[in-house]
Amino acid sequence: MDKSYKWLTTKEAAKHLKISPGTLNNARSTGTGVVIGFSKIGSRIFYDESDIEDYIKQHTYRHTGEIVKGE
């Protein structure tokens, strides 16, 4: 079964996450913070929308006691 991709640019992904593109750039460069897999095609960076949705689901909590230190 083929996976269907919906590619987002850094700016589009940041807007979806309601963060600045700079925050996403820094996370991608340092491997800390909002760490989401990306694809580099030529000099362009793309994020798969499903990876962004997965990140949001993995970081959704009912109360602060569920948050693991360092996340």
Side-chain angles (χ1 to χ4, degrees), residues 8 13-14 16-17 19 23-24 27-29 31-39 45-56 58-59:
L8 301 176
H16 192 72
L17 290 162
I19 61 174
T23 298
L24 203 48
R28 188 175 62 246
S29 295
T32 61
V34 183
V35 180
I36 301 172
F38 64 93
S39 296
I45 301 294
F46 296 96
Y47 293 88
D48 184 352
E49 186 175 45
S50 67
D51 290 339
I52 294 169
E53 293 298 328
D54 288 344
Y55 179 86
I56 292 169
Q58 292 170 5
H59 292 85

Side-chain angles (χ1 to χ4, degrees), residues 4-38:
S4 176
Y5 295 97
K6 179 169 182 196
W7 297 109
L8 301 176
T9 65
T10 299
K11 185 176 179 180
E12 292 167 334
K15 185 176 180 179
H16 192 72
L17 290 162
K18 298 186 180 5
I19 61 174
S20 75
T23 298
L24 203 48
N25 288 336
N26 288 339
R28 188 175 62 246
S29 295
T30 63
T32 61
V34 183
V35 180
I36 301 172
F38 64 93

